[in-house]
């Protein structure tokens, strides 16, 4: 049973008011709210366990290490990865992508080699490759989208050549809501002998992902977008790839032996985890993954899909409404503009009604250029949103529209 009122009680912040109105939080694509169990697990660790991991022989250090490594196992299970050695803790999607661009680029790319991206990438999956471009003279090739906001797969296939070294593509667009056919894209890339990095920042919170059936070579996501704490994320990588990459940062934990003359590196995944990890946040992330798993990712998916359908149906009836992104397969994200109303005005006035939405370019300026807009208003749903919150959004938009 998916009892939305019971579920909402797990998220204390949803009970608060802004400007004297009940909060309607629809900025979940940016970050999600946290259930009590996540915050409590972290508080409990700070109050009762706290000690640095992997280092001490003492009781607390061992207990903290057990919690941290248990969290890694929880992530492994959540992704259905083969081994915990494939789970690298990072600060988030951005760091995970930068790690791959930097280390893969270092090991396997030279001047003139190519990475395939898409027109709907988040800046984190563009700029990381541009930094490599500046260092090594690699080339960025871009898969275009059609007018519905779907990737053009025939164009994608045409981009492969003997200089293609890697594909890096988002699973779900944070602007259009488009769910990309990454399984097919991975098959196509593999047929060319090319590995694929999938940006899972916007997919993991909304539907089940399975590394073994997806067959991605690398996969990135952020804890804070899936009801976990800020400052922690994951890079999944197939062992065969991670093994062949050089380390990302140097420091404690990632080494086996150090002399001034020579250093040998630790095994996976520790080779990529220099310094003290945010071991309290990894506990929080594990609790968040337990939380969504107990609700059932399929139930969350159904709930959010139903909500998105309902929202689209109601929003399309608003005069002057333009919804950006009409993909056949879409997720719980709706970008829109109404008449000539500036996105910032719409967002600011909705805010005064207690409705939190995102406005702007959503860290996807190349996509904005393709759409011919400067920015959009974005409503993005989470497992705790309700139909009445969609009603509040629709009525809020109508009210703002009347003012113009
Ligand atoms: N990729 C996508 C598709 C995103 O939506 C985001 C966050 N907006 C990111 C990457 C970056 O995530 P983070 O800021 O958590 O590193």
């Amino acid at each position: 049973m998916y009892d939305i009122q019971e579920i909402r009680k797990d998220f204390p912040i949803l009970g608060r008011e802004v400007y004297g109105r009940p909060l309607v939080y629809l900025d979940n694509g940016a970050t999600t709210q946290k259930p009590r169990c996540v915050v409590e697990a972290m508080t409990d660790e700070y109050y009762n366990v706290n000690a640095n991991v992997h280092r001490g022989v003492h009781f607390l250090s061992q207990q903290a290490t057990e919690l941290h490594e248990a969290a890694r196992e929880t992530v492994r299970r959540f992704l259905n990865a083969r081994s915990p050695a494939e789970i690298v803790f990072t600060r988030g999607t951005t760091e995970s992508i930068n790690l791959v661009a930097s280390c893969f680029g270092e090991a396997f790319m030279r001047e003139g080699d190519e990475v395939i991206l898409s027109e709907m990438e988040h800046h984190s999956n563009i700029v990381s490759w541009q930094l490599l471009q500046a260092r090594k003279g690699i080339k960025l090739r871009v898969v275009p989208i059609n007018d519905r906001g779907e990737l053009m797969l025939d164009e994608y296939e045409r981009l492969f050549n003997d200089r293609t070294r890697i594909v890096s593509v988002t699973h779900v667009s944070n602007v259009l809501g488009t769910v990309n056919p990454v399984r097919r894209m991975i098959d196509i890339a593999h047929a060319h002998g090319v590995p694929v990095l999938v940006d899972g920042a916007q997919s993991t919170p909304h539907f089940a992902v399975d590394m073994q059936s997806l067959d991605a070579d690398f996969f990135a996501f952020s804890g804070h977008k899936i009801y976990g704490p800020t400052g922690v994320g994951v890079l999944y990588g197939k062992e065969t790839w991670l093994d062949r990459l050089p380390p990302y940062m140097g420091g404690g934990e990632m080494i086996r032996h150090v002399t001034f003359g020579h250093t040998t590196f630790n095994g996976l995944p520790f080779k990529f985890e220099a310094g003290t990890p945010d071991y309290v946040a990894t506990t929080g992330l594990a609790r968040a993954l337990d939380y969504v798993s107990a609700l059932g990712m399929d139930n969350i998916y159904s709930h959010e899909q139903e909500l998105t359908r309902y929202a689209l149906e109601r929003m399309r009836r608003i005069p002057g409404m333009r919804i950006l992104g009409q993909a056949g397969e879409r997720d719980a994200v709706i970008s829109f503009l109404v008449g000539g109303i500036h996105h910032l005005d719409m967002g600011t006035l909705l805010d005064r009604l207690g409705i939190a939405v995102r406005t702007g370019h959503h860290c996807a300026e190349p996509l904005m250029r393709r759409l011919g807009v400067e920015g959009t208003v974005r409503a993005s749903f989470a497992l705790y949103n309700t139909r009445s919150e969609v009603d509040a959004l629709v009525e809020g938009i109508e009210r703002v529209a009347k003012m113009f």
Side-chain angles (χ1 to χ4, degrees):
M1 261 299 288
Y2 199 87
D3 186 339
I4 193 74
Q5 291 312 330
E6 280 305 308
I7 289 169
R8 286 177 71 83
K9 288 184 194 155
D10 295 334
F11 296 82
I13 205 171
L14 299 180
R16 73 161 287 180
E17 295 187 338
V18 289
Y19 310 113
R21 292 167 174 276
L23 169 70
V24 176
Y25 186 76
L26 301 177
D27 192 19
N28 297 287
T31 201
T32 51
Q33 301 304 343
K34 318 305 169 198
R36 218 179 279 275
C37 63
V38 167
V39 180
E40 283 171 357
M42 295 172 71
T43 306
D44 181 59
E45 185 164 352
Y46 273 129
Y47 281 168
N48 297 306
V49 182
N50 184 52
N52 208 332
V53 293
H54 297 141
R55 300 194 182 172
V57 291
H58 61 82
F59 187 88
L60 288 188
S61 175
Q62 290 187 29
Q63 208 174 4
T65 303
E66 274 165 30
L67 281 172
H68 183 61
E69 291 309 316
R72 198 187 306 277
E73 170 57 22
T74 302
V75 174
R76 185 207 65 75
R77 211 178 322 119
F78 181 75
L79 294 178
N80 192 27
R82 281 182 192 83
S83 151
E86 298 178 320
I87 307 300
V88 177
F89 285 121
T90 64
R91 284 189 301 125
T93 306
T94 302
E95 188 174 79
S96 299
I97 295 172
N98 274 271
L99 191 161
V100 175
S102 177
C103 300
F104 185 92
E106 178 65 29
F108 296 109
M109 297 181 84
R110 53 195 176 83
E111 190 175 350
D113 283 347
E114 299 181 1
V115 53
I116 297 179
L117 311 172
S118 88
E119 209 167 13
M120 63 170 83
E121 295 311 315
H122 186 275
H123 291 163
S124 58
N125 198 23
I126 300 172
V127 183
S128 321
W129 298 101
Q130 285 173 336
L131 294 177
L132 183 66
Q133 182 175 44
R135 282 205 307 276
K136 287 201 130 183
I138 66 153
K139 286 191 183 142
L140 278 52
R141 308 295 303 271
V142 181
V143 189
I145 58 169
N146 63 23
D147 290 338
R148 288 191 303 280
E150 298 162 327
L151 292 183
M152 296 167 78
L153 280 194
D154 44 348
E155 296 290 332
Y156 168 65
E157 279 214 74
R158 271 199 279 277
L159 288 178
F160 284 88
N161 62 48
D162 62 358
R163 300 307 300 269
T164 312
R165 293 289 172 266
I166 189 166
V167 173
S168 190
V169 69
T170 193
H171 202 170
V172 172
S173 163
N174 64 318
V175 176
L176 306 166
T178 310
V179 181
N180 288 321
V182 286
R183 179 63 239 245
R184 261 186 78 198
M185 295 175 78
I186 288 167
D187 282 347
I188 291 167
H190 286 175
H192 289 87
V194 171
V196 180
L197 162 61
V198 176
D199 170 353
Q202 298 291 345
S203 61
T204 41
H206 302 294
F207 52 84
V209 293
D210 180 322
M211 289 308 112
Q212 294 187 55
S213 70
L214 199 61
D215 204 23
D217 302 278
F218 302 101
F219 187 94
F221 74 95
S222 297
H224 71 96
K225 291 186 198 281
I226 186 164
Y227 314 100
T230 49
V232 68
V234 169
L235 172 67
Y236 158 87
K238 283 183 185 164
E239 242 178 304
T240 45
W241 279 115
L242 291 181
D243 255 338
R244 294 156 71 197
L245 299 190
Y248 183 47
M249 290 196 288
E253 208 57 48
M254 53 76 74
I255 53 87
R256 229 187 278 287
H257 295 291
V258 179
T259 69
F260 280 110
H262 183 67
T263 290
T264 51
F265 302 124
N266 206 340
L268 294 179
F270 308 109
K271 183 172 82 175
F272 295 105
E273 295 182 350
T276 300
D278 195 339
Y279 52 84
V280 175
T282 57
T283 296
L285 172 60
R287 196 53 59 91
L289 298 182
D290 286 341
Y291 181 83
V292 292
S293 301
L295 282 179
M297 287 310 298
D298 292 345
N299 296 327
I300 292 170
Y301 179 74
S302 304
H303 171 75
E304 293 179 353
Q305 284 287 309
E306 201 274 326
L307 213 54
T308 308
R309 267 196 300 276
Y310 177 64
L312 283 170
E313 197 181 289
R314 285 212 61 188
M315 286 169 72
R316 283 197 183 108
R317 282 192 247 129
I318 298 173
M321 172 61 68
R322 176 179 172 204
I323 288 164
L324 296 103
Q326 310 282 349
E329 204 182 330
R330 67 171 304 143
D331 213 68
V333 176
I334 303 176
S335 268
F336 64 94
L337 289 166
V338 182
I341 305 171
H342 195 274
H343 54 88
L344 197 55
D345 292 334
M346 176 63 81
T348 307
L349 291 165
L350 286 176
D351 176 56
R352 301 305 296 196
L353 301 171
I355 303 165
V357 291
R358 182 80 184 266
T359 64
H361 55 61
H362 315 294
C363 300
E365 285 187 17
L367 176 59
M368 294 298 120
R369 209 154 298 127
R370 166 64 176 85
L371 298 170
V373 299
E374 182 204 305
T376 75
V377 190
R378 181 186 73 181
S380 49
F381 305 116
L383 62 85
Y384 41 63
N385 288 123
T386 63
R387 272 183 167 241
S388 60
E389 288 180 310
V390 171
D391 293 335
L393 172 68
V394 170
E395 282 148 29
I397 297 169
E398 285 170 340
R399 200 164 144 186
V400 173
K402 277 204 193 91
M403 293 165 63
F404 280 82

